[in-house]
Amino acid sequence: MTGAKKKKKSMLWGKMHTPQCEDIIQWCRRRLPILDWAPHYNLKENLLPDTVSGIMLAVQQVTQGLAFAVLSSVHPVFGLYGSLFPAIIYAIFGMGRHVATGTFALTSLISANAVERIVPQNIQNLTTPSNTSVLGLSDFEMQRIHVAVAVSFLGGVIQVAMFVLQLGSATFVVTEPVISAMTTGAATHVVTSQVKYLLGMKMPYISGPLGFFYIYAYVFENIKSVRLEALLLSLLSIVVLVLVKELNEQFKRKIKVVLPVDLVLIIAASFACYCTNMENTYGLEVVGHIPQGIPSPRAPPMNILSAVITEAFGVALVGYVASLALAQGSAKKFKYSIDDNQEFLAHGLSNIVSSFFFCIPSAAAMGRTAGLYSTGAKTQVACLISCIFVLIVIYAIGPLLYWLPMCVLASIIVVGLKGMLIQFRDLKKYWNVDKIDWGIWVSTYVFTICFAANVGLLFGVVCTIAIVIGRFPRAMTLSIKNMKEMEFKVKTEMDSETLQQVKIISINNPLVFLNAKKFYTDLMNIIQKENACNQPLDDISKCEQNTLLNSLSNGNCNEEVSQSCPNEKCSLILDCSGFTFFDYSGVSMLVEVYMDCKGRSVDVLLAHCTASLIKGMTYYGNLDSEKPIFFESVSAAISHIHSNKASDKLLFGNLDFPTMSLLS
């Protein structure tokens, strides 16, 4: 028996797949995306636009690095480090071609809570130097950066742990309204935190529940302490920044290189402050001494990790969600795909590795990503080129920024958040598409304002799931009467001599954020298989009849449905009578299906649409106004297709989405 067991065991081991060289290469390409795109990099076409984008990105990285370091309650020089190392790590492990990782307002604000709690302002004078400390900074500054580094390290560990647990696939529960409301609320918090610099006031650090309101209460109580010089300089800076950026946006097609107004403003303000000695004459607060060079790496302090767990979770979740939204938007805009789970690994390693080089928590920022769009960046080479110029600033130009007024830096922060703040305009969109999503947006924003970004994010996710769970039991599938009517109309059309290549897909469940992605994937798979396959007409007729019969019992005919016709132009009819309800994610996915099919020369027609669905889709997307796409019934859609005299084959399929399969 023992010999038989050993023999059986050796046979099992022999059948196991041993890793081959190709498997290792594929794994490396999957986990190191740079190995996939770098060998195919086109120097002639991509290097020039990537170089221009890299220079413009470096300007943003430097200005935002200084600003967000101050926002994180640490010395500005650490923001420069945070603009360098995370960008390099993400370029190696990240999949977003237009995602510029670096310092981020929301993660800096969360990190500041831990810094101010553990190392409060009254411990030691900010300007006390120390010869034994790193870069000649005070011990107080080093204690503060150690806390921020601990938050970054632990946040990165949490993100890598989520990658190991494959939690990237669960991010669909974070819907677009929740992300929009959370980032808008957090941006409002950031603007509020900069009020003291904009007004030139001395103000204690205020945080915690309702801290947003306490800050403005303190400002109004001490309104007489506002420095008029700082206020005027702040207003002038904001006006110049907004005006020039609007002009850049208006004339970006006519000019090849936009004016780096942030850099120009920093140089001009620093020079003016130096010449007029504003620091002593008017009492304006300036950035101060910025050391040269990069210190040797040092491990994050492990003894305070337990004290920053709350902030680390906030950094991990908020930073990832905001970055993933930008990466998905980039992938959608430029027609490529990203792995949600790989993004966890990329951002986690960016935070972990960077924490050894005194970097504050990092993430992708909307302003930098939009900058890469507008300057025509092609790949992550633009981010790597920007790192070269950031290095030049760290080793050569940094000390010249001593005279930069803090009110100007605060103005740059506020204007840089414009993209997040104008998301208030989304309220009109959500109101017209789905009023429940409008309510989720408002409530998530209120919770973010009253508490914090991570609390608002958690509330939005829980609220969204609870509402969907409450709505699903009331959902109804297609009735047998409707399906028999469709079958009768279909068979009537099949008797015709001239037939159009058509595919009818009935959707028998609500379309919401839970199943929107699966709906899109399954539909695109069917269309791709249709374009790739061919099948005799007799087999197609059999499949049509089987599909219609199986559909009455939630059946499927996936294998037969996959067989189809030549690569001629065809039509797709979506029977929407099963849409008992939908949300904003569902409407946006339907519009995306319409636009993608249009690009594949597939006409999409929607039957049995409710008035609310028609209104939502019309408001959301730029639909083709010349061709009707909404019809009262499937037979009406078929009649419209036949009146246009297209092809000579008729193919019907049925795609069912049982509730359990969508949630699995």
Side-chain angles (χ1 to χ4, degrees):
M1 291 296 293
T2 305
K5 286 183 179 179
K6 287 183 178 180
K7 185 177 181 180
K8 186 176 182 180
K9 188 175 181 181
S10 63
M11 290 176 63
L12 289 173
W13 277 104
K15 290 182 179 180
M16 290 182 66
H17 177 68
T18 56
Q20 302 294 326
C21 183
E22 293 183 0
D23 297 329
I24 296 175
I25 293 175
Q26 288 295 326
W27 184 89
C28 290
R29 285 184 174 177
R30 194 166 63 250
R31 296 304 169 214
L32 296 169
I34 193 173
L35 298 179
D36 193 33
W37 60 263
H40 308 290
Y41 186 77
N42 192 324
L43 288 172
K44 186 177 295 185
E45 292 183 4
N46 298 337
L47 185 59
L48 180 59
D50 279 343
T51 302
V52 174
S53 298
I55 295 172
M56 302 303 296
L57 177 61
V59 174
Q60 287 183 300
Q61 289 278 35
V62 170
T63 54
Q64 291 183 359
L66 295 172
F68 294 154
V70 174
L71 182 62
S72 191
S73 297
V74 299
H75 194 280
V77 71
F78 298 116
L80 297 178
Y81 305 153
S83 300
L84 174 65
F85 293 102
I88 297 174
I89 302 301
Y90 184 84
I92 298 173
F93 293 94
M95 300 185 71
R97 300 174 191 172
H98 298 80
V99 174
T101 304
T103 55
F104 185 44
L106 307 190
T107 55
S108 296
L109 193 64
I110 295 172
S111 174
N113 292 333
V115 173
E116 294 288 351
R117 188 182 74 250
I118 298 175
V119 188
Q121 186 75 31
N122 55 12
I123 285 185
Q124 186 177 347
N125 192 329
L126 256 169
T127 58
T128 302
S130 173
N131 294 328
T132 60
S133 185
V134 177
L135 296 174
L137 297 175
S138 65
D139 292 332
F140 173 76
E141 289 289 1
M142 296 311 301
Q143 290 175 19
R144 289 200 147 196
I145 189 58
H146 284 156
V147 176
V149 161
V151 174
S152 178
F153 175 79
L154 188 56
V157 170
I158 292 171
Q159 288 173 328
V160 172
M162 290 178 174
F163 160 76
V164 174
L165 296 174
Q166 299 288 305
L167 294 182
S169 57
T171 54
F172 67 89
V173 300
V174 187
T175 60
E176 184 177 333
V178 172
I179 296 174
S180 174
M182 183 270 293
T183 52
T184 306
T188 310
H189 269 297
V190 175
V191 172
T192 302
S193 69
Q194 297 304 297
V195 168
K196 62 180 181 180
Y197 298 116
L198 295 173
L199 302 179
M201 296 178 61
K202 296 292 183 182
M203 183 188 302
Y205 183 80
I206 301 174
S207 63
L210 304 180
F212 173 84
F213 303 100
Y214 291 137
I215 290 175
Y216 286 105
Y218 183 92
V219 170
F220 285 112
E221 289 174 0
N222 300 271
I223 197 69
K224 293 182 180 180
S225 62
V226 173
R227 290 189 179 274
L228 185 60
E229 298 84 2
L231 177 60
L232 292 176
L233 187 55
S234 299
L235 291 175
L236 179 63
S237 300
I238 291 174
V239 169
V240 170
L241 287 168
V242 172
L243 183 62
V244 176
K245 288 191 175 185
E246 285 297 324
L247 291 175
N248 282 339
E249 187 67 24
Q250 291 291 329
F251 298 101
K252 65 181 180 181
R253 294 182 179 179
K254 297 181 180 179
I255 55 177
K256 295 183 178 180
V257 180
V258 297
L259 177 66
V261 61
D262 294 359
L263 179 62
V264 173
L265 181 62
I266 287 177
I267 295 173
S270 301
F271 182 75
C273 185
Y274 171 77
C275 293
T276 59
N277 196 17
M278 290 184 184
E279 182 183 17
N280 299 320
T281 306
Y282 302 108
L284 289 185
E285 186 177 355
V286 296
V287 169
H289 173 64
I290 296 183
Q292 286 180 299
I294 299 175
S296 57
R298 181 182 297 182
M302 302 297 172
N303 57 326
I304 61 173
L305 293 182
S306 59
V308 298
I309 290 179
T310 304
E311 288 80 10
F313 267 102
V315 163
L317 297 178
V318 173
Y320 172 75
V321 167
S323 302
L324 181 64
L326 294 174
Q328 289 176 336
S330 169
K332 183 177 179 180
K333 183 179 180 68
F334 295 98
K335 305 298 181 184
Y336 63 91
S337 61
I338 62 168
D339 182 355
D340 296 353
N341 211 53
Q342 177 67 21
E343 292 298 290
F344 259 132
L345 177 64
H347 289 289
L349 291 178
S350 294
N351 279 313
I352 292 175
V353 175
S354 301
S355 66
F356 286 81
F357 295 91
F358 301 95
C359 295
I360 59 178
S362 64
M366 183 181 295
R368 296 194 295 266
T369 301
L372 290 176
Y373 288 167
S374 62
T375 53
K378 302 297 183 181
T379 65
Q380 278 289 327
V381 170
C383 297
L384 295 176
I385 291 175
S386 73
C387 293
I388 298 174
F389 291 94
V390 173
L391 270 175
I392 295 174
V393 172
I394 291 174
Y395 278 96
I397 305 175
L400 301 178
L401 300 174
Y402 177 96
W403 298 99
L404 177 63
M406 291 297 298
C407 60
V408 174
L409 204 54
S411 301
I412 294 174
I413 294 179
V414 171
V415 176
L417 294 171
K418 176 191 170 186
M420 292 184 183
L421 293 174
I422 62 175
Q423 290 179 133
F424 278 110
R425 296 186 301 189
D426 292 346
L427 282 172
K428 182 180 179 181
K429 177 174 62 177
Y430 297 130
W431 179 264
N432 284 279
V433 175
D434 184 21
K435 292 179 175 58
I436 291 181
D437 277 337
W438 181 89
I440 291 174
W441 196 102
V442 173
S443 57
T444 301
Y445 177 80
V446 170
F447 262 75
T448 303
I449 287 295
C450 293
F451 300 99
N454 49 347
V455 177
L457 178 64
L458 180 62
F459 170 82
V461 171
V462 172
C463 186
T464 304
I465 294 175
I467 288 175
V468 171
I469 291 175
R471 294 171 78 183
F472 251 110
R474 299 196 301 271
M476 296 177 61
T477 58
L478 288 175
S479 64
I480 295 178
K481 179 180 178 181
N482 286 341
M483 292 303 300
K484 286 185 175 180
E485 181 181 354
M486 187 181 79
E487 182 181 2
F488 174 76
K489 296 292 183 183
V490 166
K491 288 185 176 180
T492 301
E493 297 293 340
M494 285 178 60
D495 294 333
S496 171
E497 294 181 0
T498 303
L499 299 177
Q500 167 80 23
Q501 183 184 346
V502 180
K503 186 155 196 66
I504 299 179
I505 298 178
S506 57
I507 303 125
N508 296 336
N509 268 314
L511 188 60
V512 293
F513 72 96
L514 289 172
N515 58 359
K517 196 170 183 180
K518 183 177 185 298
F519 166 77
Y520 177 83
T521 303
D522 290 345
L523 193 58
M524 290 299 109
N525 286 340
I526 286 180
I527 293 174
Q528 289 173 0
K529 289 178 181 178
E530 293 291 339
N531 291 335
C533 302
N534 198 352
Q535 186 182 10
L537 185 60
D538 294 340
D539 294 340
I540 294 175
S541 300
K542 292 178 183 178
C543 181
E544 291 164 2
Q545 296 174 5
N546 292 336
T547 300
L548 290 169
L549 293 174
N550 289 340
S551 64
L552 300 179
S553 58
N554 274 342
N556 248 323
C557 189
N558 291 338
E559 293 182 1
E560 291 91 349
V561 167
S562 300
Q563 309 299 324
S564 184
C565 310
N567 292 328
E568 55 199 26
K569 186 168 184 177
C570 58
S571 298
L572 172 68
I573 299 177
L574 293 179
D575 182 3
C576 301
S577 53
F579 278 156
T580 349
F581 67 87
F582 52 87
D583 63 1
Y584 181 82
S585 299
V587 172
S588 64
M589 192 58 70
L590 267 180
V591 174
E592 186 174 346
V593 165
Y594 174 82
M595 300 305 294
D596 282 0
C597 289
K598 187 177 178 182
R600 299 170 187 262
S601 298
V602 177
D603 291 331
V604 178
L605 297 85
L606 287 83
H608 296 115
C609 297
T610 61
S612 58
L613 180 60
I614 295 174
K615 179 182 178 183
M617 289 189 65
T618 305
Y619 186 86
Y620 179 89
N622 297 320
L623 304 180
D624 193 346
S625 57
E626 297 180 357
K627 298 180 181 179
I629 62 171
F630 301 106
F631 297 89
E632 294 181 356
S633 63
V634 173
S635 58
I638 293 175
S639 299
H640 171 76
I641 294 172
H642 279 257
S643 66
N644 291 335
K645 297 180 181 181
S647 305
D648 60 352
K649 291 184 180 179
L650 183 61
L651 179 64
F652 291 89
N654 185 350
L655 180 62
D656 276 332
F657 289 106
T659 304
M660 293 302 293
S661 66
L662 291 173
L663 297 175
S664 60

